[in-house]
Amino acid sequence: MSFPQHRPRRLRTTAAIRRLVAEHRLAPSELILPVFIREDLSEPNPITSMPGVVQHTTASLLAAAREAVELGLGGIMIFGIPAVRDAQGSAGLDPLGVLNKAIRDVREEVGDDLVVMSDLCLDEFTDHGHCGVLNEAGDVDNDATLDIYAKMGVAQAAAGAHVVAPSGMMDGQVAVIRDALDEAGYTDVAVLAYAAKYASAFYGPFREAVDSQLHGDRRSYQMDSGNRREALHEVELDLAEGADIVMVKPAMSYLDILADVAAISPVPVAAYQISGEYAMIEAAAANGWINRRAAIEESVLSIKRAGATMILTYWAAELAGWLREN
Ligand code: PBG
């Protein structure tokens, strides 16, 4: 094919024509705000490596949830930081534990006006910081962890989560959680599966955000960054186990994976713009090295363009505010 007469620049001459031919645009309804609630906190606590993000008190969390509704955000993803941790991560099962209580409080505040999602993982609750319990050799014990995940899922559903989001990358986690939810009567609670979650250096700031106790790494359960085909296998397994939504994480360094998954997934695809992606842009902008707003908009739009149906981003509220201006 040849188009000797065609000048692509014709369709770039004015803002109005660029808007007309735009292939992708963002909407507040596809943004999900990740939030951290910390037990026994009297004031919101800033996270140094994520300027602008805090560990919430109950009051500040509820204010953030209300704002999310006003902005028309799609959802909120709640992470809990307990005051006391143990080897089994028991605080994650406690109906009055920090996360389950926060789910209940947020649900009471927003009702069904916002999709309330909860992180279903043990790393915030264990004193060793791993996403599962350990066996005698000190390795993460997949199947012993599954039993706990199943109970955690039911506890979160009982607290009012619309969606539970297993992020621990244990094999078989979606199936046991789905079964447990159904058995307990929570057939309408959805599972958002962290299907292709890679062992990433870009989770660094998150570890500060949740006061992570981890020494070492998660390479025995999260994916190796060199692997592409394996991501589709992980997604297929989660679909077969009953995942309602599948996630790729991180986003920026894995847009090829996201595009692959979007091409085959029969269910909605989520992508998580993680703490390190946030921190890099904030740090460069604070130094005056990049235009903050333009970089944020471009980074999130690229995730949409790669195929995400929904995007978790710490900029969800600010970005939604900008989208309303447009
Ligand atoms: C594990 C979990 C992690 C993140 C979300 N859920 C950390 C990890 O796997 O080490 C990272 C999110 C981010 O970096 O923004 N529960």
Side-chain angles (χ1 to χ4, degrees), residues 43-69:
E43 288 297 317
N45 186 31
I47 300 163
T48 318
S49 53
M50 300 175 75
V53 181
V54 300
Q55 295 177 332
H56 281 291
T57 62
T58 299
S60 68
L61 174 64
L62 295 184
R66 259 193 317 275
E67 187 194 22
V69 173

mmCIF file with all atom_site columns, all heavy atoms in Angstrom, residues 43-69:
data_model
loop_
_atom_site.group_PDB
_atom_site.id
_atom_site.type_symbol
_atom_site.label_atom_id
_atom_site.label_alt_id
_atom_site.label_comp_id
_atom_site.label_asym_id
_atom_site.label_entity_id
_atom_site.label_seq_id
_atom_site.pdbx_PDB_ins_code
_atom_site.Cartn_x
_atom_site.Cartn_y
_atom_site.Cartn_z
_atom_site.occupancy
_atom_site.B_iso_or_equiv
_atom_site.pdbx_formal_charge
_atom_site.auth_seq_id
_atom_site.auth_comp_id
_atom_site.auth_asym_id
_atom_site.auth_atom_id
_atom_site.pdbx_PDB_model_num
ATOM 1   N N   . GLU A 1 43 ? -2.448  10.491 63.521 1.00 0.00 ? 43 GLU A N   1
ATOM 2   C CA  . GLU A 1 43 ? -2.417  11.444 62.405 1.00 0.00 ? 43 GLU A CA  1
ATOM 3   C C   . GLU A 1 43 ? -1.989  10.681 61.150 1.00 0.00 ? 43 GLU A C   1
ATOM 4   O O   . GLU A 1 43 ? -1.200  9.732  61.263 1.00 0.00 ? 43 GLU A O   1
ATOM 5   C CB  . GLU A 1 43 ? -1.345  12.528 62.660 1.00 0.00 ? 43 GLU A CB  1
ATOM 6   C CG  . GLU A 1 43 ? -1.680  13.532 63.744 1.00 0.00 ? 43 GLU A CG  1
ATOM 7   C CD  . GLU A 1 43 ? -2.895  14.358 63.399 1.00 0.00 ? 43 GLU A CD  1
ATOM 8   O OE1 . GLU A 1 43 ? -3.013  14.795 62.230 1.00 0.00 ? 43 GLU A OE1 1
ATOM 9   O OE2 . GLU A 1 43 ? -3.751  14.542 64.283 1.00 0.00 ? 43 GLU A OE2 1
ATOM 10  N N   . PRO A 1 44 ? -2.424  11.106 59.968 1.00 0.00 ? 44 PRO A N   1
ATOM 11  C CA  . PRO A 1 44 ? -1.914  10.468 58.755 1.00 0.00 ? 44 PRO A CA  1
ATOM 12  C C   . PRO A 1 44 ? -0.383  10.569 58.718 1.00 0.00 ? 44 PRO A C   1
ATOM 13  O O   . PRO A 1 44 ? 0.176   11.596 59.100 1.00 0.00 ? 44 PRO A O   1
ATOM 14  C CB  . PRO A 1 44 ? -2.544  11.287 57.622 1.00 0.00 ? 44 PRO A CB  1
ATOM 15  C CG  . PRO A 1 44 ? -3.749  11.925 58.228 1.00 0.00 ? 44 PRO A CG  1
ATOM 16  C CD  . PRO A 1 44 ? -3.427  12.144 59.681 1.00 0.00 ? 44 PRO A CD  1
ATOM 17  N N   . ASN A 1 45 ? 0.249   9.514  58.275 1.00 0.00 ? 45 ASN A N   1
ATOM 18  C CA  . ASN A 1 45 ? 1.704   9.442  58.319 1.00 0.00 ? 45 ASN A CA  1
ATOM 19  C C   . ASN A 1 45 ? 2.275   9.438  56.899 1.00 0.00 ? 45 ASN A C   1
ATOM 20  O O   . ASN A 1 45 ? 2.063   8.492  56.144 1.00 0.00 ? 45 ASN A O   1
ATOM 21  C CB  . ASN A 1 45 ? 2.080   8.140  59.057 1.00 0.00 ? 45 ASN A CB  1
ATOM 22  C CG  . ASN A 1 45 ? 3.558   8.032  59.298 1.00 0.00 ? 45 ASN A CG  1
ATOM 23  O OD1 . ASN A 1 45 ? 4.244   9.034  59.470 1.00 0.00 ? 45 ASN A OD1 1
ATOM 24  N ND2 . ASN A 1 45 ? 4.064   6.792  59.303 1.00 0.00 ? 45 ASN A ND2 1
ATOM 25  N N   . PRO A 1 46 ? 2.992   10.518 56.521 1.00 0.00 ? 46 PRO A N   1
ATOM 26  C CA  . PRO A 1 46 ? 3.522   10.583 55.156 1.00 0.00 ? 46 PRO A CA  1
ATOM 27  C C   . PRO A 1 46 ? 4.510   9.452  54.869 1.00 0.00 ? 46 PRO A C   1
ATOM 28  O O   . PRO A 1 46 ? 5.259   9.049  55.763 1.00 0.00 ? 46 PRO A O   1
ATOM 29  C CB  . PRO A 1 46 ? 4.257   11.933 55.122 1.00 0.00 ? 46 PRO A CB  1
ATOM 30  C CG  . PRO A 1 46 ? 3.745   12.704 56.282 1.00 0.00 ? 46 PRO A CG  1
ATOM 31  C CD  . PRO A 1 46 ? 3.326   11.715 57.313 1.00 0.00 ? 46 PRO A CD  1
ATOM 32  N N   . ILE A 1 47 ? 4.490   8.945  53.647 1.00 0.00 ? 47 ILE A N   1
ATOM 33  C CA  . ILE A 1 47 ? 5.440   7.908  53.229 1.00 0.00 ? 47 ILE A CA  1
ATOM 34  C C   . ILE A 1 47 ? 6.561   8.618  52.463 1.00 0.00 ? 47 ILE A C   1
ATOM 35  O O   . ILE A 1 47 ? 6.332   9.162  51.385 1.00 0.00 ? 47 ILE A O   1
ATOM 36  C CB  . ILE A 1 47 ? 4.729   6.864  52.345 1.00 0.00 ? 47 ILE A CB  1
ATOM 37  C CG1 . ILE A 1 47 ? 3.589   6.198  53.137 1.00 0.00 ? 47 ILE A CG1 1
ATOM 38  C CG2 . ILE A 1 47 ? 5.713   5.818  51.829 1.00 0.00 ? 47 ILE A CG2 1
ATOM 39  C CD1 . ILE A 1 47 ? 2.576   5.470  52.279 1.00 0.00 ? 47 ILE A CD1 1
ATOM 40  N N   . THR A 1 48 ? 7.743   8.638  53.048 1.00 0.00 ? 48 THR A N   1
ATOM 41  C CA  . THR A 1 48 ? 8.838   9.456  52.513 1.00 0.00 ? 48 THR A CA  1
ATOM 42  C C   . THR A 1 48 ? 9.129   9.169  51.044 1.00 0.00 ? 48 THR A C   1
ATOM 43  O O   . THR A 1 48 ? 9.335   10.093 50.254 1.00 0.00 ? 48 THR A O   1
ATOM 44  C CB  . THR A 1 48 ? 10.130  9.173  53.313 1.00 0.00 ? 48 THR A CB  1
ATOM 45  O OG1 . THR A 1 48 ? 9.781   9.098  54.695 1.00 0.00 ? 48 THR A OG1 1
ATOM 46  C CG2 . THR A 1 48 ? 11.157  10.253 53.088 1.00 0.00 ? 48 THR A CG2 1
ATOM 47  N N   . SER A 1 49 ? 9.147   7.890  50.678 1.00 0.00 ? 49 SER A N   1
ATOM 48  C CA  . SER A 1 49 ? 9.534   7.531  49.312 1.00 0.00 ? 49 SER A CA  1
ATOM 49  C C   . SER A 1 49 ? 8.372   7.659  48.320 1.00 0.00 ? 49 SER A C   1
ATOM 50  O O   . SER A 1 49 ? 8.552   7.414  47.126 1.00 0.00 ? 49 SER A O   1
ATOM 51  C CB  . SER A 1 49 ? 10.080  6.104  49.295 1.00 0.00 ? 49 SER A CB  1
ATOM 52  O OG  . SER A 1 49 ? 9.152   5.227  49.901 1.00 0.00 ? 49 SER A OG  1
ATOM 53  N N   . MET A 1 50 ? 7.187   8.049  48.823 1.00 0.00 ? 50 MET A N   1
ATOM 54  C CA  . MET A 1 50 ? 6.039   8.280  47.941 1.00 0.00 ? 50 MET A CA  1
ATOM 55  C C   . MET A 1 50 ? 5.423   9.624  48.310 1.00 0.00 ? 50 MET A C   1
ATOM 56  O O   . MET A 1 50 ? 4.341   9.681  48.923 1.00 0.00 ? 50 MET A O   1
ATOM 57  C CB  . MET A 1 50 ? 4.997   7.161  48.100 1.00 0.00 ? 50 MET A CB  1
ATOM 58  C CG  . MET A 1 50 ? 5.539   5.780  47.770 1.00 0.00 ? 50 MET A CG  1
ATOM 59  S SD  . MET A 1 50 ? 4.332   4.475  48.091 1.00 0.00 ? 50 MET A SD  1
ATOM 60  C CE  . MET A 1 50 ? 3.212   4.702  46.707 1.00 0.00 ? 50 MET A CE  1
ATOM 61  N N   . PRO A 1 51 ? 6.085   10.719 47.929 1.00 0.00 ? 51 PRO A N   1
ATOM 62  C CA  . PRO A 1 51 ? 5.596   12.040 48.331 1.00 0.00 ? 51 PRO A CA  1
ATOM 63  C C   . PRO A 1 51 ? 4.137   12.237 47.909 1.00 0.00 ? 51 PRO A C   1
ATOM 64  O O   . PRO A 1 51 ? 3.790   11.983 46.759 1.00 0.00 ? 51 PRO A O   1
ATOM 65  C CB  . PRO A 1 51 ? 6.505   13.016 47.562 1.00 0.00 ? 51 PRO A CB  1
ATOM 66  C CG  . PRO A 1 51 ? 7.664   12.206 47.083 1.00 0.00 ? 51 PRO A CG  1
ATOM 67  C CD  . PRO A 1 51 ? 7.226   10.787 47.004 1.00 0.00 ? 51 PRO A CD  1
ATOM 68  N N   . GLY A 1 52 ? 3.303   12.657 48.867 1.00 0.00 ? 52 GLY A N   1
ATOM 69  C CA  . GLY A 1 52 ? 1.886   12.852 48.559 1.00 0.00 ? 52 GLY A CA  1
ATOM 70  C C   . GLY A 1 52 ? 1.026   11.671 48.967 1.00 0.00 ? 52 GLY A C   1
ATOM 71  O O   . GLY A 1 52 ? -0.205  11.768 48.977 1.00 0.00 ? 52 GLY A O   1
ATOM 72  N N   . VAL A 1 53 ? 1.649   10.531 49.309 1.00 0.00 ? 53 VAL A N   1
ATOM 73  C CA  . VAL A 1 53 ? 0.882   9.353  49.744 1.00 0.00 ? 53 VAL A CA  1
ATOM 74  C C   . VAL A 1 53 ? 1.107   9.171  51.238 1.00 0.00 ? 53 VAL A C   1
ATOM 75  O O   . VAL A 1 53 ? 2.205   9.402  51.737 1.00 0.00 ? 53 VAL A O   1
ATOM 76  C CB  . VAL A 1 53 ? 1.317   8.088  48.970 1.00 0.00 ? 53 VAL A CB  1
ATOM 77  C CG1 . VAL A 1 53 ? 0.505   6.876  49.414 1.00 0.00 ? 53 VAL A CG1 1
ATOM 78  C CG2 . VAL A 1 53 ? 1.166   8.310  47.472 1.00 0.00 ? 53 VAL A CG2 1
ATOM 79  N N   . VAL A 1 54 ? 0.051   8.781  51.956 1.00 0.00 ? 54 VAL A N   1
ATOM 80  C CA  . VAL A 1 54 ? 0.151   8.632  53.411 1.00 0.00 ? 54 VAL A CA  1
ATOM 81  C C   . VAL A 1 54 ? -0.337  7.260  53.858 1.00 0.00 ? 54 VAL A C   1
ATOM 82  O O   . VAL A 1 54 ? -1.068  6.580  53.145 1.00 0.00 ? 54 VAL A O   1
ATOM 83  C CB  . VAL A 1 54 ? -0.683  9.703  54.160 1.00 0.00 ? 54 VAL A CB  1
ATOM 84  C CG1 . VAL A 1 54 ? -0.221  11.101 53.814 1.00 0.00 ? 54 VAL A CG1 1
ATOM 85  C CG2 . VAL A 1 54 ? -2.179  9.527  53.866 1.00 0.00 ? 54 VAL A CG2 1
ATOM 86  N N   . GLN A 1 55 ? 0.078   6.900  55.063 1.00 0.00 ? 55 GLN A N   1
ATOM 87  C CA  . GLN A 1 55 ? -0.600  5.828  55.788 1.00 0.00 ? 55 GLN A CA  1
ATOM 88  C C   . GLN A 1 55 ? -1.774  6.518  56.472 1.00 0.00 ? 55 GLN A C   1
ATOM 89  O O   . GLN A 1 55 ? -1.583  7.492  57.195 1.00 0.00 ? 55 GLN A O   1
ATOM 90  C CB  . GLN A 1 55 ? 0.333   5.211  56.828 1.00 0.00 ? 55 GLN A CB  1
ATOM 91  C CG  . GLN A 1 55 ? 1.540   4.501  56.211 1.00 0.00 ? 55 GLN A CG  1
ATOM 92  C CD  . GLN A 1 55 ? 2.487   3.973  57.275 1.00 0.00 ? 55 GLN A CD  1
ATOM 93  O OE1 . GLN A 1 55 ? 2.572   4.506  58.368 1.00 0.00 ? 55 GLN A OE1 1
ATOM 94  N NE2 . GLN A 1 55 ? 3.214   2.917  56.938 1.00 0.00 ? 55 GLN A NE2 1
ATOM 95  N N   . HIS A 1 56 ? -2.977  6.005  56.248 1.00 0.00 ? 56 HIS A N   1
ATOM 96  C CA  . HIS A 1 56 ? -4.170  6.681  56.736 1.00 0.00 ? 56 HIS A CA  1
ATOM 97  C C   . HIS A 1 56 ? -4.555  6.283  58.161 1.00 0.00 ? 56 HIS A C   1
ATOM 98  O O   . HIS A 1 56 ? -4.302  5.161  58.590 1.00 0.00 ? 56 HIS A O   1
ATOM 99  C CB  . HIS A 1 56 ? -5.372  6.325  55.844 1.00 0.00 ? 56 HIS A CB  1
ATOM 100 C CG  . HIS A 1 56 ? -5.419  7.086  54.560 1.00 0.00 ? 56 HIS A CG  1
ATOM 101 N ND1 . HIS A 1 56 ? -5.671  8.445  54.513 1.00 0.00 ? 56 HIS A ND1 1
ATOM 102 C CD2 . HIS A 1 56 ? -5.251  6.693  53.270 1.00 0.00 ? 56 HIS A CD2 1
ATOM 103 C CE1 . HIS A 1 56 ? -5.663  8.836  53.241 1.00 0.00 ? 56 HIS A CE1 1
ATOM 104 N NE2 . HIS A 1 56 ? -5.404  7.804  52.470 1.00 0.00 ? 56 HIS A NE2 1
ATOM 105 N N   . THR A 1 57 ? -5.232  7.224  58.826 1.00 0.00 ? 57 THR A N   1
ATOM 106 C CA  . THR A 1 57 ? -6.038  6.900  60.001 1.00 0.00 ? 57 THR A CA  1
ATOM 107 C C   . THR A 1 57 ? -7.431  6.537  59.469 1.00 0.00 ? 57 THR A C   1
ATOM 108 O O   . THR A 1 57 ? -7.715  6.741  58.277 1.00 0.00 ? 57 THR A O   1
ATOM 109 C CB  . THR A 1 57 ? -6.195  8.130  60.917 1.00 0.00 ? 57 THR A CB  1
ATOM 110 O OG1 . THR A 1 57 ? -6.893  9.149  60.167 1.00 0.00 ? 57 THR A OG1 1
ATOM 111 C CG2 . THR A 1 57 ? -4.833  8.686  61.341 1.00 0.00 ? 57 THR A CG2 1
ATOM 112 N N   . THR A 1 58 ? -8.282  6.064  60.341 1.00 0.00 ? 58 THR A N   1
ATOM 113 C CA  . THR A 1 58 ? -9.644  5.750  59.885 1.00 0.00 ? 58 THR A CA  1
ATOM 114 C C   . THR A 1 58 ? -10.320 7.001  59.327 1.00 0.00 ? 58 THR A C   1
ATOM 115 O O   . THR A 1 58 ? -10.932 6.963  58.254 1.00 0.00 ? 58 THR A O   1
ATOM 116 C CB  . THR A 1 58 ? -10.481 5.162  61.040 1.00 0.00 ? 58 THR A CB  1
ATOM 117 O OG1 . THR A 1 58 ? -9.849  3.954  61.481 1.00 0.00 ? 58 THR A OG1 1
ATOM 118 C CG2 . THR A 1 58 ? -11.898 4.850  60.593 1.00 0.00 ? 58 THR A CG2 1
ATOM 119 N N   . ALA A 1 59 ? -10.153 8.118  60.032 1.00 0.00 ? 59 ALA A N   1
ATOM 120 C CA  . ALA A 1 59 ? -10.818 9.355  59.587 1.00 0.00 ? 59 ALA A CA  1
ATOM 121 C C   . ALA A 1 59 ? -10.311 9.793  58.220 1.00 0.00 ? 59 ALA A C   1
ATOM 122 O O   . ALA A 1 59 ? -11.104 10.149 57.331 1.00 0.00 ? 59 ALA A O   1
ATOM 123 C CB  . ALA A 1 59 ? -10.607 10.455 60.626 1.00 0.00 ? 59 ALA A CB  1
ATOM 124 N N   . SER A 1 60 ? -8.993  9.776  58.021 1.00 0.00 ? 60 SER A N   1
ATOM 125 C CA  . SER A 1 60 ? -8.478  10.255 56.734 1.00 0.00 ? 60 SER A CA  1
ATOM 126 C C   . SER A 1 60 ? -8.799  9.266  55.615 1.00 0.00 ? 60 SER A C   1
ATOM 127 O O   . SER A 1 60 ? -9.015  9.658  54.466 1.00 0.00 ? 60 SER A O   1
ATOM 128 C CB  . SER A 1 60 ? -6.978  10.572 56.813 1.00 0.00 ? 60 SER A CB  1
ATOM 129 O OG  . SER A 1 60 ? -6.197  9.418  56.993 1.00 0.00 ? 60 SER A OG  1
ATOM 130 N N   . LEU A 1 61 ? -8.866  7.971  55.953 1.00 0.00 ? 61 LEU A N   1
ATOM 131 C CA  . LEU A 1 61 ? -9.252  6.980  54.946 1.00 0.00 ? 61 LEU A CA  1
ATOM 132 C C   . LEU A 1 61 ? -10.687 7.223  54.472 1.00 0.00 ? 61 LEU A C   1
ATOM 133 O O   . LEU A 1 61 ? -10.970 7.190  53.264 1.00 0.00 ? 61 LEU A O   1
ATOM 134 C CB  . LEU A 1 61 ? -9.131  5.562  55.515 1.00 0.00 ? 61 LEU A CB  1
ATOM 135 C CG  . LEU A 1 61 ? -9.642  4.445  54.601 1.00 0.00 ? 61 LEU A CG  1
ATOM 136 C CD1 . LEU A 1 61 ? -8.813  4.359  53.332 1.00 0.00 ? 61 LEU A CD1 1
ATOM 137 C CD2 . LEU A 1 61 ? -9.646  3.108  55.316 1.00 0.00 ? 61 LEU A CD2 1
ATOM 138 N N   . LEU A 1 62 ? -11.561 7.486  55.424 1.00 0.00 ? 62 LEU A N   1
ATOM 139 C CA  . LEU A 1 62 ? -12.965 7.708  55.040 1.00 0.00 ? 62 LEU A CA  1
ATOM 140 C C   . LEU A 1 62 ? -13.106 8.977  54.209 1.00 0.00 ? 62 LEU A C   1
ATOM 141 O O   . LEU A 1 62 ? -13.910 9.028  53.275 1.00 0.00 ? 62 LEU A O   1
ATOM 142 C CB  . LEU A 1 62 ? -13.856 7.748  56.285 1.00 0.00 ? 62 LEU A CB  1
ATOM 143 C CG  . LEU A 1 62 ? -13.931 6.419  57.055 1.00 0.00 ? 62 LEU A CG  1
ATOM 144 C CD1 . LEU A 1 62 ? -14.900 6.512  58.217 1.00 0.00 ? 62 LEU A CD1 1
ATOM 145 C CD2 . LEU A 1 62 ? -14.310 5.263  56.128 1.00 0.00 ? 62 LEU A CD2 1
ATOM 146 N N   . ALA A 1 63 ? -12.290 9.982  54.527 1.00 0.00 ? 63 ALA A N   1
ATOM 147 C CA  . ALA A 1 63 ? -12.320 11.204 53.716 1.00 0.00 ? 63 ALA A CA  1
ATOM 148 C C   . ALA A 1 63 ? -11.846 10.908 52.298 1.00 0.00 ? 63 ALA A C   1
ATOM 149 O O   . ALA A 1 63 ? -12.417 11.396 51.315 1.00 0.00 ? 63 ALA A O   1
ATOM 150 C CB  . ALA A 1 63 ? -11.452 12.283 54.375 1.00 0.00 ? 63 ALA A CB  1
ATOM 151 N N   . ALA A 1 64 ? -10.808 10.079 52.178 1.00 0.00 ? 64 ALA A N   1
ATOM 152 C CA  . ALA A 1 64 ? -10.294 9.719  50.839 1.00 0.00 ? 64 ALA A CA  1
ATOM 153 C C   . ALA A 1 64 ? -11.345 8.919  50.066 1.00 0.00 ? 64 ALA A C   1
ATOM 154 O O   . ALA A 1 64 ? -11.515 9.088  48.853 1.00 0.00 ? 64 ALA A O   1
ATOM 155 C CB  . ALA A 1 64 ? -9.004  8.917  50.970 1.00 0.00 ? 64 ALA A CB  1
ATOM 156 N N   . ALA A 1 65 ? -12.062 8.049  50.775 1.00 0.00 ? 65 ALA A N   1
ATOM 157 C CA  . ALA A 1 65 ? -13.097 7.238  50.113 1.00 0.00 ? 65 ALA A CA  1
ATOM 158 C C   . ALA A 1 65 ? -14.244 8.124  49.615 1.00 0.00 ? 65 ALA A C   1
ATOM 159 O O   . ALA A 1 65 ? -14.745 7.954  48.503 1.00 0.00 ? 65 ALA A O   1
ATOM 160 C CB  . ALA A 1 65 ? -13.614 6.170  51.073 1.00 0.00 ? 65 ALA A CB  1
ATOM 161 N N   . ARG A 1 66 ? -14.615 9.088  50.459 1.00 0.00 ? 66 ARG A N   1
ATOM 162 C CA  . ARG A 1 66 ? -15.674 10.021 50.049 1.00 0.00 ? 66 ARG A CA  1
ATOM 163 C C   . ARG A 1 66 ? -15.255 10.830 48.830 1.00 0.00 ? 66 ARG A C   1
ATOM 164 O O   . ARG A 1 66 ? -16.007 11.011 47.879 1.00 0.00 ? 66 ARG A O   1
ATOM 165 C CB  . ARG A 1 66 ? -15.984 10.996 51.196 1.00 0.00 ? 66 ARG A CB  1
ATOM 166 C CG  . ARG A 1 66 ? -17.226 10.669 51.978 1.00 0.00 ? 66 ARG A CG  1
ATOM 167 C CD  . ARG A 1 66 ? -17.665 11.820 52.878 1.00 0.00 ? 66 ARG A CD  1
ATOM 168 N NE  . ARG A 1 66 ? -16.579 12.472 53.608 1.00 0.00 ? 66 ARG A NE  1
ATOM 169 C CZ  . ARG A 1 66 ? -16.093 12.051 54.780 1.00 0.00 ? 66 ARG A CZ  1
ATOM 170 N NH1 . ARG A 1 66 ? -16.588 10.972 55.358 1.00 0.00 ? 66 ARG A NH1 1
ATOM 171 N NH2 . ARG A 1 66 ? -15.112 12.700 55.376 1.00 0.00 ? 66 ARG A NH2 1
ATOM 172 N N   . GLU A 1 67 ? -14.011 11.297 48.859 1.00 0.00 ? 67 GLU A N   1
ATOM 173 C CA  . GLU A 1 67 ? -13.505 12.068 47.717 1.00 0.00 ? 67 GLU A CA  1
ATOM 174 C C   . GLU A 1 67 ? -13.501 11.197 46.454 1.00 0.00 ? 67 GLU A C   1
ATOM 175 O O   . GLU A 1 67 ? -13.816 11.673 45.363 1.00 0.00 ? 67 GLU A O   1
ATOM 176 C CB  . GLU A 1 67 ? -12.075 12.578 48.012 1.00 0.00 ? 67 GLU A CB  1
ATOM 177 C CG  . GLU A 1 67 ? -11.576 13.515 46.933 1.00 0.00 ? 67 GLU A CG  1
ATOM 178 C CD  . GLU A 1 67 ? -10.066 13.790 46.996 1.00 0.00 ? 67 GLU A CD  1
ATOM 179 O OE1 . GLU A 1 67 ? -9.316  12.978 47.586 1.00 0.00 ? 67 GLU A OE1 1
ATOM 180 O OE2 . GLU A 1 67 ? -9.633  14.811 46.433 1.00 0.00 ? 67 GLU A OE2 1
ATOM 181 N N   . ALA A 1 68 ? -13.131 9.927  46.619 1.00 0.00 ? 68 ALA A N   1
ATOM 182 C CA  . ALA A 1 68 ? -13.109 9.012  45.460 1.00 0.00 ? 68 ALA A CA  1
ATOM 183 C C   . ALA A 1 68 ? -14.493 8.906  44.830 1.00 0.00 ? 68 ALA A C   1
ATOM 184 O O   . ALA A 1 68 ? -14.633 8.884  43.605 1.00 0.00 ? 68 ALA A O   1
ATOM 185 C CB  . ALA A 1 68 ? -12.605 7.633  45.896 1.00 0.00 ? 68 ALA A CB  1
ATOM 186 N N   . VAL A 1 69 ? -15.524 8.864  45.678 1.00 0.00 ? 69 VAL A N   1
ATOM 187 C CA  . VAL A 1 69 ? -16.897 8.810  45.155 1.00 0.00 ? 69 VAL A CA  1
ATOM 188 C C   . VAL A 1 69 ? -17.213 10.100 44.406 1.00 0.00 ? 69 VAL A C   1
ATOM 189 O O   . VAL A 1 69 ? -17.734 10.077 43.284 1.00 0.00 ? 69 VAL A O   1
ATOM 190 C CB  . VAL A 1 69 ? -17.920 8.602  46.299 1.00 0.00 ? 69 VAL A CB  1
ATOM 191 C CG1 . VAL A 1 69 ? -19.342 8.728  45.771 1.00 0.00 ? 69 VAL A CG1 1
ATOM 192 C CG2 . VAL A 1 69 ? -17.711 7.244  46.960 1.00 0.00 ? 69 VAL A CG2 1
#
